[in-house]
Amino acid sequence: MITRCCSQPLHRDRTHRQEYFLQEIIDLFILARSRKIIAGYGGFALLGRYWLGRDGPEMEVVLSKEDIRGQVEIIQLDSDCNMEIN
């Protein structure tokens, strides 16, 4: 339920823990300052979108691997990136 990197979860998912880890705050700040968020189900990306109390970046909810791949391709085209998607 919680993906870990070293000793800290990358973000919370259905936890009853009251405190935040530093990495969670950093992740929320990055989400809030993004131009676009590609998210699945769950509230963490939505929380990040509004973390700084403003309108927040555009958010696209994706439900499948094909949707994710399509969104990444759009981002690559918009940024003139020629990287291949695996």
Side-chain angles (χ1 to χ4, degrees):
M1 297 298 287
I2 298 177
T3 304
R4 292 190 172 273
C5 175
C6 305
S7 63
Q8 294 186 23
L10 297 180
H11 70 267
R12 67 181 58 220
D13 185 13
R14 297 183 186 101
T15 182
H16 297 291
R17 182 172 39 86
Q18 295 298 313
E19 72 278 1
Y20 281 88
F21 283 101
L22 176 60
Q23 187 62 50
E24 292 173 316
I25 303 299
I26 292 168
D27 291 348
L28 290 169
F29 183 77
I30 290 169
L31 286 166
R33 299 294 295 161
S34 299
R35 283 184 267 159
K36 182 174 186 177
I37 298 171
I38 300 170
Y41 286 118
F44 191 79
L46 189 61
L47 175 62
R49 180 180 187 194
Y50 297 111
W51 184 251
L52 298 179
R54 56 189 183 98
D55 290 337
E58 177 186 352
M59 187 163 141
E60 182 76 29
V61 176
V62 293
L63 306 176
S64 70
K65 187 175 181 178
E66 291 78 24
D67 290 341
I68 295 168
R69 186 177 301 275
Q71 288 299 315
V72 171
E73 288 173 359
I74 290 169
I75 291 168
Q76 287 178 326
L77 288 173
D78 288 348
S79 63
D80 293 326
C81 181
N82 295 322
M83 228 169 53
E84 295 228 2
I85 304 170
N86 293 325

